[in-house]
Amino acid sequence: MCAERMQRIVLAIILGINMGLAATNPKIAFLVQLAVIVLLLVGGFTGKCLSLEMLRSFLPPCDASAKDRT
């Protein structure tokens, strides 16, 4: 498993849990959704994704095996 794929999986899980929270506790769901939006915007504008950098500390990047082959 590589870092970029794991990030997408974790993001999907967070959004799924957030859907459940929206029905039971909308205030917390709003805050979780706002945090996800802020992280995605920061990553989009700066090119540095904090969650991806954390995942890369213990998972290899997806293109690591391609670089080794060339």
Side-chain angles (χ1 to χ4, degrees):
M1 183 68 61
C2 60
E4 289 85 357
R5 287 183 183 175
M6 191 63 176
Q7 181 200 26
R8 291 185 195 119
I9 292 169
V10 169
L11 186 59
I13 291 170
I14 289 171
L15 291 175
I17 291 171
N18 201 40
M19 285 176 63
L21 279 174
T24 60
N25 198 341
K27 289 182 182 181
I28 293 177
F30 174 79
L31 292 174
V32 171
Q33 191 73 23
L34 183 64
V36 169
I37 290 170
V38 168
L39 283 173
L40 289 173
L41 285 174
V42 167
F45 285 119
T46 65
K48 286 192 166 200
C49 184
L50 300 174
S51 61
L52 193 53
E53 288 181 14
M54 287 177 18
L55 285 171
R56 284 183 181 156
S57 66
F58 59 90
L59 290 172
C62 287
D63 60 352
S65 59
K67 287 181 184 176
D68 293 339
R69 283 184 255 153
T70 57

